[in-house]
Amino acid sequence: MGIVGEKLDIDFVISTGDNFYDDGLTEFLDFFFVDTTPFVDDYFTHPKDHKYDWRGVLPRKNYLSKLLKNLKSTLRHSTAMWKIVVGHHTIKSVGHHGITQELVSQLLPILEANNVDFYVNGHDHCLEHIIDTKS
């Protein structure tokens, strides 16, 4: 379908099903979404005028432990050629928010240990492409 779509310069396809049988398709890319907000200590210790709804997050230590355990497991079991982790907060940045130490110490080692290809984030309103010299 993809080859025909390119050859015919098709903009989109509406599929009604029954396209793939038995083993389906080989997925070569996995995205892993991480809730990075609970990692940031300042949101708990210095919330300023902000009001946060921590339902489902407290107790924080348990929430983060479970999140990291699940991430490790899903990354370890992924057979995808590309592993991309997505979170809101920066791990490292030259922008306004800079380095998020909590993510450097808790999340980054898991990404490195599981050969994650890259981490995509928001938070700093700038475009950066940071390369780790170890990878």
Side-chain angles (χ1 to χ4, degrees):
M1 284 178 25
I3 293 169
V4 171
E6 282 184 33
K7 285 183 179 179
L8 298 177
D9 195 29
I10 294 174
D11 291 324
F12 68 92
V13 173
I14 296 174
S15 172
T16 58
D18 291 339
N19 296 317
F20 309 104
Y21 299 96
D22 301 324
D23 296 331
L25 297 173
T26 302
E27 302 301 344
F28 63 95
L29 168 71
D30 280 342
F31 285 98
F32 305 86
F33 292 82
V34 177
D35 181 7
T36 59
T37 300
F39 283 94
V40 182
D41 291 335
D42 277 349
Y43 295 155
F44 293 87
T45 59
H46 299 90
K48 301 180 184 169
D49 295 331
H50 300 287
K51 301 278 189 237
Y52 298 101
D53 182 353
W54 295 120
R55 284 180 289 181
V57 173
L58 298 177
R60 180 181 175 213
K61 185 176 181 180
N62 293 348
Y63 179 84
L64 291 177
S65 176
K66 184 176 180 181
L67 184 152
L68 292 171
K69 181 180 177 185
N70 288 340
L71 180 62
K72 283 181 202 177
S73 177
T74 55
L75 285 170
R76 185 174 50 251
H77 290 98
S78 171
T79 58
M81 183 185 315
W82 290 87
K83 297 177 188 177
I84 300 170
V85 175
V86 180
H88 176 70
H89 294 84
T90 62
I91 293 177
K92 297 182 179 181
S93 172
V94 296
H96 172 73
H97 294 99
I99 296 172
T100 306
Q101 289 296 338
E102 299 90 342
L103 295 180
V104 170
S105 64
Q106 297 175 65
L107 181 62
L108 186 57
I110 294 169
L111 305 186
E112 291 173 338
N114 289 281
N115 300 313
V116 168
D117 295 288
F118 57 94
Y119 175 78
V120 178
N121 66 267
H123 202 50
D124 268 347
H125 298 193
C126 62
L127 176 61
E128 298 178 57
H129 178 195
I130 298 174
I131 298 173
D132 186 343
T133 58
K134 295 182 286 185
S135 65

PDB file of all heavy atoms in Angstrom, residues 4-32:
ATOM      1  N   VAL A   4       2.446   1.784  -3.540  1.00  0.00           N
ATOM      2  CA  VAL A   4       1.441   2.267  -4.485  1.00  0.00           C
ATOM      3  C   VAL A   4       1.060   3.707  -4.152  1.00  0.00           C
ATOM      4  O   VAL A   4       0.924   4.548  -5.044  1.00  0.00           O
ATOM      5  CB  VAL A   4       0.191   1.356  -4.475  1.00  0.00           C
ATOM      6  CG1 VAL A   4      -0.950   1.969  -5.275  1.00  0.00           C
ATOM      7  CG2 VAL A   4       0.541  -0.021  -5.011  1.00  0.00           C
ATOM      8  N   GLY A   5       0.917   4.009  -2.865  1.00  0.00           N
ATOM      9  CA  GLY A   5       0.585   5.371  -2.457  1.00  0.00           C
ATOM     10  C   GLY A   5       1.614   6.382  -2.914  1.00  0.00           C
ATOM     11  O   GLY A   5       1.276   7.478  -3.365  1.00  0.00           O
ATOM     12  N   GLU A   6       2.885   6.018  -2.805  1.00  0.00           N
ATOM     13  CA  GLU A   6       3.953   6.917  -3.269  1.00  0.00           C
ATOM     14  C   GLU A   6       3.922   7.077  -4.782  1.00  0.00           C
ATOM     15  O   GLU A   6       4.035   8.179  -5.303  1.00  0.00           O
ATOM     16  CB  GLU A   6       5.316   6.387  -2.832  1.00  0.00           C
ATOM     17  CG  GLU A   6       5.632   6.665  -1.375  1.00  0.00           C
ATOM     18  CD  GLU A   6       7.045   6.216  -1.016  1.00  0.00           C
ATOM     19  OE1 GLU A   6       7.939   6.284  -1.888  1.00  0.00           O
ATOM     20  OE2 GLU A   6       7.232   5.797   0.135  1.00  0.00           O
ATOM     21  N   LYS A   7       3.783   5.973  -5.488  1.00  0.00           N
ATOM     22  CA  LYS A   7       3.790   6.019  -6.958  1.00  0.00           C
ATOM     23  C   LYS A   7       2.632   6.840  -7.502  1.00  0.00           C
ATOM     24  O   LYS A   7       2.769   7.536  -8.503  1.00  0.00           O
ATOM     25  CB  LYS A   7       3.744   4.608  -7.532  1.00  0.00           C
ATOM     26  CG  LYS A   7       5.058   3.873  -7.423  1.00  0.00           C
ATOM     27  CD  LYS A   7       4.990   2.513  -8.078  1.00  0.00           C
ATOM     28  CE  LYS A   7       6.344   1.819  -7.967  1.00  0.00           C
ATOM     29  NZ  LYS A   7       6.322   0.483  -8.556  1.00  0.00           N
ATOM     30  N   LEU A   8       1.487   6.740  -6.844  1.00  0.00           N
ATOM     31  CA  LEU A   8       0.308   7.462  -7.313  1.00  0.00           C
ATOM     32  C   LEU A   8       0.137   8.825  -6.651  1.00  0.00           C
ATOM     33  O   LEU A   8      -0.859   9.499  -6.895  1.00  0.00           O
ATOM     34  CB  LEU A   8      -0.955   6.611  -7.086  1.00  0.00           C
ATOM     35  CG  LEU A   8      -0.991   5.270  -7.833  1.00  0.00           C
ATOM     36  CD1 LEU A   8      -2.255   4.500  -7.467  1.00  0.00           C
ATOM     37  CD2 LEU A   8      -0.905   5.488  -9.345  1.00  0.00           C
ATOM     38  N   ASP A   9       1.100   9.198  -5.805  1.00  0.00           N
ATOM     39  CA  ASP A   9       1.068  10.485  -5.095  1.00  0.00           C
ATOM     40  C   ASP A   9      -0.240  10.669  -4.319  1.00  0.00           C
ATOM     41  O   ASP A   9      -0.894  11.705  -4.378  1.00  0.00           O
ATOM     42  CB  ASP A   9       1.286  11.639  -6.069  1.00  0.00           C
ATOM     43  CG  ASP A   9       1.626  12.935  -5.336  1.00  0.00           C
ATOM     44  OD1 ASP A   9       2.206  12.865  -4.238  1.00  0.00           O
ATOM     45  OD2 ASP A   9       1.288  14.017  -5.873  1.00  0.00           O
ATOM     46  N   ILE A  10      -0.618   9.621  -3.592  1.00  0.00           N
ATOM     47  CA  ILE A  10      -1.848   9.634  -2.801  1.00  0.00           C
ATOM     48  C   ILE A  10      -1.589  10.371  -1.486  1.00  0.00           C
ATOM     49  O   ILE A  10      -0.583  10.142  -0.824  1.00  0.00           O
ATOM     50  CB  ILE A  10      -2.329   8.194  -2.539  1.00  0.00           C
ATOM     51  CG1 ILE A  10      -2.739   7.555  -3.860  1.00  0.00           C
ATOM     52  CG2 ILE A  10      -3.461   8.166  -1.529  1.00  0.00           C
ATOM     53  CD1 ILE A  10      -3.090   6.083  -3.750  1.00  0.00           C
ATOM     54  N   ASP A  11      -2.496  11.265  -1.098  1.00  0.00           N
ATOM     55  CA  ASP A  11      -2.340  12.045   0.130  1.00  0.00           C
ATOM     56  C   ASP A  11      -2.755  11.276   1.380  1.00  0.00           C
ATOM     57  O   ASP A  11      -2.211  11.481   2.453  1.00  0.00           O
ATOM     58  CB  ASP A  11      -3.140  13.348   0.057  1.00  0.00           C
ATOM     59  CG  ASP A  11      -2.544  14.314  -0.966  1.00  0.00           C
ATOM     60  OD1 ASP A  11      -1.304  14.342  -1.092  1.00  0.00           O
ATOM     61  OD2 ASP A  11      -3.322  15.007  -1.646  1.00  0.00           O
ATOM     62  N   PHE A  12      -3.770  10.426   1.256  1.00  0.00           N
ATOM     63  CA  PHE A  12      -4.190   9.642   2.414  1.00  0.00           C
ATOM     64  C   PHE A  12      -4.986   8.429   1.952  1.00  0.00           C
ATOM     65  O   PHE A  12      -5.446   8.365   0.810  1.00  0.00           O
ATOM     66  CB  PHE A  12      -5.013  10.484   3.402  1.00  0.00           C
ATOM     67  CG  PHE A  12      -6.361  10.901   2.874  1.00  0.00           C
ATOM     68  CD1 PHE A  12      -7.486  10.131   3.110  1.00  0.00           C
ATOM     69  CD2 PHE A  12      -6.500  12.085   2.160  1.00  0.00           C
ATOM     70  CE1 PHE A  12      -8.722  10.515   2.637  1.00  0.00           C
ATOM     71  CE2 PHE A  12      -7.729  12.480   1.693  1.00  0.00           C
ATOM     72  CZ  PHE A  12      -8.854  11.693   1.917  1.00  0.00           C
ATOM     73  N   VAL A  13      -5.137   7.471   2.871  1.00  0.00           N
ATOM     74  CA  VAL A  13      -5.892   6.252   2.615  1.00  0.00           C
ATOM     75  C   VAL A  13      -6.822   6.027   3.791  1.00  0.00           C
ATOM     76  O   VAL A  13      -6.427   6.204   4.938  1.00  0.00           O
ATOM     77  CB  VAL A  13      -4.946   5.030   2.479  1.00  0.00           C
ATOM     78  CG1 VAL A  13      -5.742   3.734   2.394  1.00  0.00           C
ATOM     79  CG2 VAL A  13      -4.025   5.189   1.294  1.00  0.00           C
ATOM     80  N   ILE A  14      -8.034   5.650   3.506  1.00  0.00           N
ATOM     81  CA  ILE A  14      -8.961   5.234   4.557  1.00  0.00           C
ATOM     82  C   ILE A  14      -9.048   3.720   4.493  1.00  0.00           C
ATOM     83  O   ILE A  14      -9.413   3.152   3.475  1.00  0.00           O
ATOM     84  CB  ILE A  14     -10.357   5.867   4.375  1.00  0.00           C
ATOM     85  CG1 ILE A  14     -10.260   7.386   4.506  1.00  0.00           C
ATOM     86  CG2 ILE A  14     -11.345   5.284   5.386  1.00  0.00           C
ATOM     87  CD1 ILE A  14     -11.546   8.109   4.206  1.00  0.00           C
ATOM     88  N   SER A  15      -8.680   3.080   5.576  1.00  0.00           N
ATOM     89  CA  SER A  15      -8.688   1.628   5.618  1.00  0.00           C
ATOM     90  C   SER A  15      -9.899   1.150   6.401  1.00  0.00           C
ATOM     91  O   SER A  15     -10.199   1.658   7.476  1.00  0.00           O
ATOM     92  CB  SER A  15      -7.415   1.124   6.300  1.00  0.00           C
ATOM     93  OG  SER A  15      -7.498  -0.266   6.497  1.00  0.00           O
ATOM     94  N   THR A  16     -10.578   0.170   5.849  1.00  0.00           N
ATOM     95  CA  THR A  16     -11.733  -0.398   6.543  1.00  0.00           C
ATOM     96  C   THR A  16     -11.428  -1.773   7.128  1.00  0.00           C
ATOM     97  O   THR A  16     -12.322  -2.485   7.554  1.00  0.00           O
ATOM     98  CB  THR A  16     -12.937  -0.506   5.580  1.00  0.00           C
ATOM     99  OG1 THR A  16     -12.561  -1.320   4.471  1.00  0.00           O
ATOM    100  CG2 THR A  16     -13.371   0.879   5.128  1.00  0.00           C
ATOM    101  N   GLY A  17     -10.164  -2.142   7.149  1.00  0.00           N
ATOM    102  CA  GLY A  17      -9.756  -3.380   7.806  1.00  0.00           C
ATOM    103  C   GLY A  17      -9.452  -4.507   6.844  1.00  0.00           C
ATOM    104  O   GLY A  17      -9.473  -4.342   5.625  1.00  0.00           O
ATOM    105  N   ASP A  18      -9.152  -5.675   7.419  1.00  0.00           N
ATOM    106  CA  ASP A  18      -8.813  -6.887   6.667  1.00  0.00           C
ATOM    107  C   ASP A  18      -7.636  -6.675   5.724  1.00  0.00           C
ATOM    108  O   ASP A  18      -7.599  -7.213   4.613  1.00  0.00           O
ATOM    109  CB  ASP A  18     -10.017  -7.415   5.878  1.00  0.00           C
ATOM    110  CG  ASP A  18     -11.096  -7.964   6.794  1.00  0.00           C
ATOM    111  OD1 ASP A  18     -10.767  -8.302   7.950  1.00  0.00           O
ATOM    112  OD2 ASP A  18     -12.247  -8.045   6.361  1.00  0.00           O
ATOM    113  N   ASN A  19      -6.643  -5.898   6.158  1.00  0.00           N
ATOM    114  CA  ASN A  19      -5.458  -5.668   5.334  1.00  0.00           C
ATOM    115  C   ASN A  19      -4.310  -6.589   5.708  1.00  0.00           C
ATOM    116  O   ASN A  19      -3.476  -6.897   4.865  1.00  0.00           O
ATOM    117  CB  ASN A  19      -4.979  -4.218   5.470  1.00  0.00           C
ATOM    118  CG  ASN A  19      -5.990  -3.239   4.945  1.00  0.00           C
ATOM    119  OD1 ASN A  19      -6.584  -3.446   3.903  1.00  0.00           O
ATOM    120  ND2 ASN A  19      -6.206  -2.172   5.680  1.00  0.00           N
ATOM    121  N   PHE A  20      -4.232  -7.004   6.971  1.00  0.00           N
ATOM    122  CA  PHE A  20      -3.085  -7.762   7.447  1.00  0.00           C
ATOM    123  C   PHE A  20      -3.592  -8.969   8.239  1.00  0.00           C
ATOM    124  O   PHE A  20      -4.440  -8.843   9.099  1.00  0.00           O
ATOM    125  CB  PHE A  20      -2.194  -6.896   8.349  1.00  0.00           C
ATOM    126  CG  PHE A  20      -1.847  -5.584   7.701  1.00  0.00           C
ATOM    127  CD1 PHE A  20      -2.465  -4.413   8.105  1.00  0.00           C
ATOM    128  CD2 PHE A  20      -0.924  -5.525   6.674  1.00  0.00           C
ATOM    129  CE1 PHE A  20      -2.157  -3.211   7.500  1.00  0.00           C
ATOM    130  CE2 PHE A  20      -0.607  -4.329   6.061  1.00  0.00           C
ATOM    131  CZ  PHE A  20      -1.226  -3.163   6.469  1.00  0.00           C
ATOM    132  N   TYR A  21      -3.043 -10.115   7.935  1.00  0.00           N
ATOM    133  CA  TYR A  21      -3.487 -11.340   8.574  1.00  0.00           C
ATOM    134  C   TYR A  21      -2.340 -12.018   9.307  1.00  0.00           C
ATOM    135  O   TYR A  21      -1.175 -11.681   9.128  1.00  0.00           O
ATOM    136  CB  TYR A  21      -4.060 -12.292   7.518  1.00  0.00           C
ATOM    137  CG  TYR A  21      -5.247 -11.705   6.808  1.00  0.00           C
ATOM    138  CD1 TYR A  21      -5.101 -11.060   5.589  1.00  0.00           C
ATOM    139  CD2 TYR A  21      -6.505 -11.760   7.381  1.00  0.00           C
ATOM    140  CE1 TYR A  21      -6.188 -10.505   4.948  1.00  0.00           C
ATOM    141  CE2 TYR A  21      -7.608 -11.209   6.752  1.00  0.00           C
ATOM    142  CZ  TYR A  21      -7.446 -10.582   5.519  1.00  0.00           C
ATOM    143  OH  TYR A  21      -8.523 -10.031   4.895  1.00  0.00           O
ATOM    144  N   ASP A  22      -2.686 -13.023  10.093  1.00  0.00           N
ATOM    145  CA  ASP A  22      -1.747 -13.868  10.819  1.00  0.00           C
ATOM    146  C   ASP A  22      -0.821 -13.063  11.729  1.00  0.00           C
ATOM    147  O   ASP A  22      -1.200 -12.693  12.815  1.00  0.00           O
ATOM    148  CB  ASP A  22      -0.944 -14.764   9.870  1.00  0.00           C
ATOM    149  CG  ASP A  22      -1.860 -15.669   9.045  1.00  0.00           C
ATOM    150  OD1 ASP A  22      -2.894 -16.109   9.597  1.00  0.00           O
ATOM    151  OD2 ASP A  22      -1.543 -15.905   7.874  1.00  0.00           O
ATOM    152  N   ASP A  23       0.377 -12.762  11.284  1.00  0.00           N
ATOM    153  CA  ASP A  23       1.366 -12.116  12.136  1.00  0.00           C
ATOM    154  C   ASP A  23       1.321 -10.600  12.103  1.00  0.00           C
ATOM    155  O   ASP A  23       2.093  -9.948  12.791  1.00  0.00           O
ATOM    156  CB  ASP A  23       2.778 -12.579  11.746  1.00  0.00           C
ATOM    157  CG  ASP A  23       2.957 -14.071  12.003  1.00  0.00           C
ATOM    158  OD1 ASP A  23       2.288 -14.597  12.921  1.00  0.00           O
ATOM    159  OD2 ASP A  23       3.741 -14.682  11.279  1.00  0.00           O
ATOM    160  N   GLY A  24       0.474 -10.022  11.271  1.00  0.00           N
ATOM    161  CA  GLY A  24       0.386  -8.567  11.211  1.00  0.00           C
ATOM    162  C   GLY A  24       1.626  -7.947  10.592  1.00  0.00           C
ATOM    163  O   GLY A  24       2.285  -8.549   9.750  1.00  0.00           O
ATOM    164  N   LEU A  25       1.949  -6.754  11.035  1.00  0.00           N
ATOM    165  CA  LEU A  25       3.101  -6.023  10.527  1.00  0.00           C
ATOM    166  C   LEU A  25       4.269  -6.125  11.493  1.00  0.00           C
ATOM    167  O   LEU A  25       4.088  -6.319  12.680  1.00  0.00           O
ATOM    168  CB  LEU A  25       2.757  -4.538  10.368  1.00  0.00           C
ATOM    169  CG  LEU A  25       1.675  -4.199   9.363  1.00  0.00           C
ATOM    170  CD1 LEU A  25       1.347  -2.727   9.445  1.00  0.00           C
ATOM    171  CD2 LEU A  25       2.103  -4.574   7.962  1.00  0.00           C
ATOM    172  N   THR A  26       5.455  -5.924  11.014  1.00  0.00           N
ATOM    173  CA  THR A  26       6.631  -5.811  11.867  1.00  0.00           C
ATOM    174  C   THR A  26       6.731  -4.334  12.280  1.00  0.00           C
ATOM    175  O   THR A  26       6.917  -3.477  11.415  1.00  0.00           O
ATOM    176  CB  THR A  26       7.903  -6.226  11.098  1.00  0.00           C
ATOM    177  OG1 THR A  26       7.719  -7.549  10.645  1.00  0.00           O
ATOM    178  CG2 THR A  26       9.114  -6.139  11.992  1.00  0.00           C
ATOM    179  N   GLU A  27       6.414  -3.963  13.592  1.00  0.00           N
ATOM    180  CA  GLU A  27       6.606  -2.614  14.101  1.00  0.00           C
ATOM    181  C   GLU A  27       8.063  -2.405  14.376  1.00  0.00           C
ATOM    182  O   GLU A  27       8.741  -3.213  14.960  1.00  0.00           O
ATOM    183  CB  GLU A  27       5.816  -2.385  15.395  1.00  0.00           C
ATOM    184  CG  GLU A  27       4.337  -2.595  15.337  1.00  0.00           C
ATOM    185  CD  GLU A  27       3.647  -1.704  14.310  1.00  0.00           C
ATOM    186  OE1 GLU A  27       4.217  -0.717  13.824  1.00  0.00           O
ATOM    187  OE2 GLU A  27       2.510  -2.003  13.980  1.00  0.00           O
ATOM    188  N   PHE A  28       8.738  -1.301  13.884  1.00  0.00           N
ATOM    189  CA  PHE A  28      10.174  -1.104  14.023  1.00  0.00           C
ATOM    190  C   PHE A  28      10.493   0.073  14.931  1.00  0.00           C
ATOM    191  O   PHE A  28      11.648   0.415  15.136  1.00  0.00           O
ATOM    192  CB  PHE A  28      10.843  -0.917  12.656  1.00  0.00           C
ATOM    193  CG  PHE A  28      10.381   0.303  11.917  1.00  0.00           C
ATOM    194  CD1 PHE A  28      11.089   1.486  12.001  1.00  0.00           C
ATOM    195  CD2 PHE A  28       9.222   0.278  11.148  1.00  0.00           C
ATOM    196  CE1 PHE A  28      10.663   2.614  11.340  1.00  0.00           C
ATOM    197  CE2 PHE A  28       8.798   1.401  10.480  1.00  0.00           C
ATOM    198  CZ  PHE A  28       9.513   2.571  10.565  1.00  0.00           C
ATOM    199  N   LEU A  29       9.467   0.684  15.508  1.00  0.00           N
ATOM    200  CA  LEU A  29       9.639   1.875  16.332  1.00  0.00           C
ATOM    201  C   LEU A  29       8.693   1.785  17.521  1.00  0.00           C
ATOM    202  O   LEU A  29       7.520   1.492  17.361  1.00  0.00           O
ATOM    203  CB  LEU A  29       9.299   3.111  15.487  1.00  0.00           C
ATOM    204  CG  LEU A  29       9.127   4.445  16.179  1.00  0.00           C
ATOM    205  CD1 LEU A  29      10.473   4.961  16.663  1.00  0.00           C
ATOM    206  CD2 LEU A  29       8.504   5.436  15.224  1.00  0.00           C
ATOM    207  N   ASP A  30       9.238   2.011  18.715  1.00  0.00           N
ATOM    208  CA  ASP A  30       8.401   2.068  19.913  1.00  0.00           C
ATOM    209  C   ASP A  30       8.578   3.422  20.573  1.00  0.00           C
ATOM    210  O   ASP A  30       9.707   3.902  20.731  1.00  0.00           O
ATOM    211  CB  ASP A  30       8.799   0.983  20.931  1.00  0.00           C
ATOM    212  CG  ASP A  30       8.235  -0.385  20.590  1.00  0.00           C
ATOM    213  OD1 ASP A  30       7.274  -0.459  19.795  1.00  0.00           O
ATOM    214  OD2 ASP A  30       8.748  -1.381  21.126  1.00  0.00           O
ATOM    215  N   PHE A  31       7.461   4.029  20.938  1.00  0.00           N
ATOM    216  CA  PHE A  31       7.463   5.262  21.729  1.00  0.00           C
ATOM    217  C   PHE A  31       7.096   4.900  23.160  1.00  0.00           C
ATOM    218  O   PHE A  31       6.189   4.101  23.391  1.00  0.00           O
ATOM    219  CB  PHE A  31       6.424   6.265  21.202  1.00  0.00           C
ATOM    220  CG  PHE A  31       6.818   6.956  19.943  1.00  0.00           C
ATOM    221  CD1 PHE A  31       6.360   6.505  18.712  1.00  0.00           C
ATOM    222  CD2 PHE A  31       7.643   8.077  19.978  1.00  0.00           C
ATOM    223  CE1 PHE A  31       6.712   7.152  17.547  1.00  0.00           C
ATOM    224  CE2 PHE A  31       8.007   8.730  18.821  1.00  0.00           C
ATOM    225  CZ  PHE A  31       7.539   8.259  17.590  1.00  0.00           C
ATOM    226  N   PHE A  32       7.782   5.524  24.106  1.00  0.00           N
ATOM    227  CA  PHE A  32       7.514   5.326  25.528  1.00  0.00           C
ATOM    228  C   PHE A  32       7.273   6.701  26.137  1.00  0.00           C
ATOM    229  O   PHE A  32       8.161   7.551  26.102  1.00  0.00           O
ATOM    230  CB  PHE A  32       8.716   4.654  26.211  1.00  0.00           C
ATOM    231  CG  PHE A  32       9.118   3.361  25.565  1.00  0.00           C
ATOM    232  CD1 PHE A  32       9.990   3.362  24.483  1.00  0.00           C
ATOM    233  CD2 PHE A  32       8.614   2.162  26.025  1.00  0.00           C
ATOM    234  CE1 PHE A  32      10.357   2.170  23.877  1.00  0.00           C
ATOM    235  CE2 PHE A  32       8.986   0.961  25.415  1.00  0.00           C
ATOM    236  CZ  PHE A  32       9.853   0.974  24.335  1.00  0.00           C
TER     237      PHE A  32
END
